[in-house]
């Protein structure tokens, strides 16, 4: 079985886009969707799998299992196929159809949770399923992206140094908060850097990551139904929450300028632009991380009927495209 050489899986000389011509503010977007698996999650997947192999946890005959809203599942599907492992992705009904089909095309099995837990939502139900599966069959190896420190170490070693190299005068970094692996890896790196960098977390309204009541969240990616175990708020300088309607409008505004991104990117950009408009950042260098591109969201974020059914027919009202995010 041929194994893909890890250095060729992702290239840190990523494309950076200056969004000033679109939003009127100087903000550079680091586009992670050009990684081999189509998202930033390839870095965490690679780090976790290789650590499990080094530690003897993952051996021939093991079956990888992971809970994922989509992108990590695709990344693990690719790595598992390359290394000869079986992989089961446990996701839920919010996962995009194209993402599920992509995992299956790579030889993975996909189990879809259709009913959320009454307290912890879809994520809690997914985690319960994985725990029960691992308890019943020792062949299953759960990397557990939610508690695995290798998930943040991946970004401490790759993502953050790449940004530092490209922007040696970096002042502001906006990072979406999902499992918080990317957020914590970057925040830890820049806490030790030679100049101060403000790290601002961008979360979804309805997420419980930084406190507050849970709410409906229909877009996969950012936000959590349970507090992320990896999160250490002492490394975070500020938090901003974004309504899903603002995420969608930002995605469409970017698309009308020729850039097709996923919902997580729309959330991060919406939050970053709102934060920047509330602060004096004229002479500051700001970077936001775009986790993936938008092709996997053509049936959801970019599908008119889907949007109207969930958010109403005025969701893309041209008069309502200005981000109206909420500070935490």
């Amino acid at each position: 079985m041929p194994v893909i050489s890890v250095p060729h899986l992702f290239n840190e000389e990523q494309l950076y886009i200056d969004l000033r011509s679109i939003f009127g503010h100087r903000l550079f977007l680091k586009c992670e969707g050009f990684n081999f698996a189509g998202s930033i999650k390839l870095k965490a997947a690679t780090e976790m799998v290789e650590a499990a192999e080094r530690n003897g946890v993952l051996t021939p005959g093991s079956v990888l299992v992971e809970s994922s809203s989509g992108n990590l599942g695709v990344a693990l599907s690719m790595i598992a196929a390359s290394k000869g492992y079986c992989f089961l992705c446990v996701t839920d009904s919010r996962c995009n159809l194209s993402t599920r089909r992509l995992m299956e095309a790579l030889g993975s099995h996909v189990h879809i949770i259709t009913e959320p837990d009454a307290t912890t939502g879809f994520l809690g139900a997914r985690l319960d399923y994985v725990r029960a599966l691992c308890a019943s069959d020792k062949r299953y190896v759960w990397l557990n992206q939610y508690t695995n420190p290798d998930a943040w170490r991946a970004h401490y070693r790759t993502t953050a140094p790449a940004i530092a190299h490209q922007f040696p005068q970096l002042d502001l970094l906006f990072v979406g908060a999902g499992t918080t692996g990317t957020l914590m890896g970057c925040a830890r790196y820049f806490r030790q850097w030679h100049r101060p960098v403000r790290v601002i977390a961008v979360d979804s309204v309805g997420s419980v990551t930084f406190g507050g009541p849970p709410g409906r969240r229909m877009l996969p990616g950012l936000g959590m139904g349970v507090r992320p175990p990896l999160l250490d708020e002492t490394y975070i300088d500020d938090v901003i929450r974004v309504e899903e309607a603002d995420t969608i409008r930002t995605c469409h505004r970017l698309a009308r300028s020729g850039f097709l991104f996923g919902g997580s990117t729309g959330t991060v950009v919406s939050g970053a632009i709102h934060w920047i408009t509330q602060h004096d950042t004229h002479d500051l260098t700001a970077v936001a991380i775009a986790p993936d591109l938008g092709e996997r969201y053509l049936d959801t974020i970019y599908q008119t009927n889907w949007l109207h059914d969930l958010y109403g027919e005025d969701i893309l009202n041209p008069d309502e495209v200005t981000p109206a995010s909420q500070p935490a």
Side-chain angles (χ1 to χ4, degrees):
M1 174 74 66
V3 178
I4 300 172
S5 176
V6 171
H8 295 92
L9 287 174
F10 46 83
N11 177 10
E12 282 299 346
E13 296 301 321
Q14 298 288 346
L15 174 66
Y16 291 85
I17 300 171
D18 187 348
L19 299 179
R20 178 167 35 187
S21 63
I22 304 173
F23 296 99
H25 295 281
R26 189 166 178 260
L27 174 68
F28 293 96
L29 193 62
K30 187 180 193 298
C31 303
E32 292 283 349
F34 295 101
N35 283 328
F36 201 67
S39 83
I40 197 170
K41 286 291 190 178
L42 183 60
K43 298 175 181 179
T46 301
E47 192 85 11
M48 291 189 296
V49 167
E50 292 189 341
E53 289 176 330
R54 288 194 304 269
N55 297 333
V57 175
L58 190 58
T59 60
S62 295
V63 179
L64 280 169
V65 61
E66 186 57 84
S67 161
S68 170
S69 61
N71 282 334
L72 182 69
V74 172
L76 286 173
S77 294
M78 184 172 293
I79 294 172
S82 171
K83 290 177 173 287
Y85 296 115
C86 294
F87 172 56
L88 169 65
C89 180
V90 180
T91 188
D92 60 62
S93 53
R94 297 171 300 176
C95 179
N96 300 313
L97 178 60
S98 59
T99 300
R100 302 203 305 259
R101 287 177 172 171
L102 180 54
M103 288 188 280
E104 290 170 344
L106 289 165
S108 299
H109 299 281
V110 180
H111 179 83
I112 301 170
I113 300 295
T114 57
E115 294 295 330
D117 181 87
T119 303
T120 56
F122 277 113
L123 176 57
R126 281 164 29 193
L127 296 181
D128 287 344
Y129 183 89
V130 172
R131 291 189 188 100
L133 190 66
C134 292
S136 65
D137 191 333
K138 300 305 180 184
R139 293 177 303 162
Y140 286 98
V141 174
W142 181 21
L143 298 174
N144 196 350
Q145 62 166 324
Y146 308 99
T147 63
N148 193 327
D150 291 306
W152 67 257
R153 289 189 186 112
H155 302 287
Y156 184 92
R157 293 196 314 104
T158 62
T159 309
I163 295 172
H165 175 75
Q166 187 74 24
F167 297 94
Q169 300 302 313
L170 181 68
D171 297 293
L172 302 168
L173 180 64
F174 296 90
V175 188
T179 62
T180 69
T182 306
L183 176 64
M184 294 311 305
C186 291
R188 281 186 165 92
Y189 180 89
F190 284 110
R191 178 63 61 88
Q192 302 170 351
W193 208 34
H194 67 91
R195 58 178 279 119
V197 175
R198 295 192 70 177
V199 177
I200 296 104
V202 184
D203 197 15
S204 302
V205 170
S207 167
V208 304
T209 297
F210 296 96
R216 186 186 79 157
R217 293 182 296 111
M218 299 305 299
L219 302 179
L222 300 186
M224 293 277 281
V226 298
R227 181 179 170 84
L230 294 178
L231 177 63
D232 183 344
E233 292 187 58
T234 63
Y235 287 93
I236 311 304
D237 295 294
D238 205 352
V239 178
I240 190 163
R241 295 185 176 94
V242 177
E243 295 276 3
E244 285 193 340
D246 293 320
T247 291
I248 292 163
R249 291 169 186 144
T250 300
C251 285
H252 281 258
R253 187 168 178 178
L254 286 164
R256 289 198 299 272
S257 299
F259 301 111
L260 193 71
F261 287 106
S264 296
T265 299
T267 302
V268 172
V269 172
S270 178
I273 294 298
H274 180 74
W275 194 96
I276 288 172
T277 60
Q278 302 300 311
H279 297 77
D280 181 11
T281 63
H282 180 71
D283 296 321
L284 301 183
T285 298
V287 172
I289 298 176
D292 63 1
L293 300 179
E295 289 89 344
R296 296 173 188 173
Y297 305 87
L298 294 176
D299 293 332
T300 53
I301 291 173
Y302 298 101
Q303 213 284 327
T304 302
N305 291 337
W306 187 87
L307 292 177
H308 289 177
D309 288 345
L310 290 175
Y311 303 99
E313 294 189 1
D314 63 344
I315 181 64
L316 298 179
N317 186 333
D319 296 328
E320 299 182 10
V321 297
T322 302
S325 308
Q326 303 178 10

